[in-house]
Amino acid sequence: MVVNVDEVVRREKLAIAAIKRAMGTEDGDVNLFVSHHLDELDGEYWLKHLGTESPDATQILDIIRLRSHWGGDEIDGIKNFDFTLPDDVTDYVISVSFDETGEVDEISMES
């Protein structure tokens, strides 16, 4: 599989920006990801990564990391990007898919 590194970087930035824009909107999956992890992870985790035991949604989204990219045609495998929290503390991801033109098509929470 040939991966265009510049396109991976471009799509990663687009995906993160779209995730942050979706927070607080009717797109419930990003909201669910944040609220679920606020409920499930203890204050020590947040303190380690964010310097506070009670982060807000923006802070949580600031530390999500790209777990993987996959799908699409066999040339590049960059149709779907999965983001999660550091330190393998969850099986949940925020998955961002791209359309044929390379623009964000959908955001969902997956496990």
Side-chain angles (χ1 to χ4, degrees):
M1 175 187 320
V2 176
V3 176
N4 180 332
V5 175
D6 292 336
E7 185 63 9
V8 170
V9 170
R10 184 187 82 79
R11 289 185 185 204
E12 181 178 1
K13 289 178 184 177
L14 283 174
I16 290 173
I19 290 167
K20 289 180 177 181
R21 281 192 310 273
M23 185 64 215
T25 68
E26 291 182 20
D27 176 0
D29 284 358
V30 174
N31 300 323
L32 180 59
F33 180 88
V34 169
S35 64
H36 170 76
H37 290 94
L38 277 172
D39 290 342
E40 293 297 317
L41 298 175
D42 62 32
E44 290 178 24
Y45 176 83
W46 301 121
L47 191 60
K48 174 184 174 184
H49 291 282
L50 294 168
T52 180
E53 291 184 356
S54 303
D56 63 29
T58 302
Q59 291 171 302
I60 292 170
L61 295 178
D62 282 343
I63 64 169
I64 60 173
R65 301 287 180 257
L66 180 63
R67 177 181 279 176
S68 62
H69 57 82
W70 53 277
D73 56 29
E74 63 281 349
I75 299 171
D76 55 27
I78 54 176
K79 180 173 175 45
N80 302 290
F81 281 58
D82 291 343
F83 296 86
T84 195
L85 294 169
D87 293 347
D88 294 322
V89 295
T90 183
D91 290 329
Y92 290 100
V93 296
I94 299 175
S95 186
V96 178
S97 62
F98 289 85
D99 64 18
E100 306 79 35
T101 66
E103 298 302 317
V104 172
D105 185 39
E106 182 180 6
I107 301 171
S108 61
M109 181 172 142
E110 307 287 336
S111 63

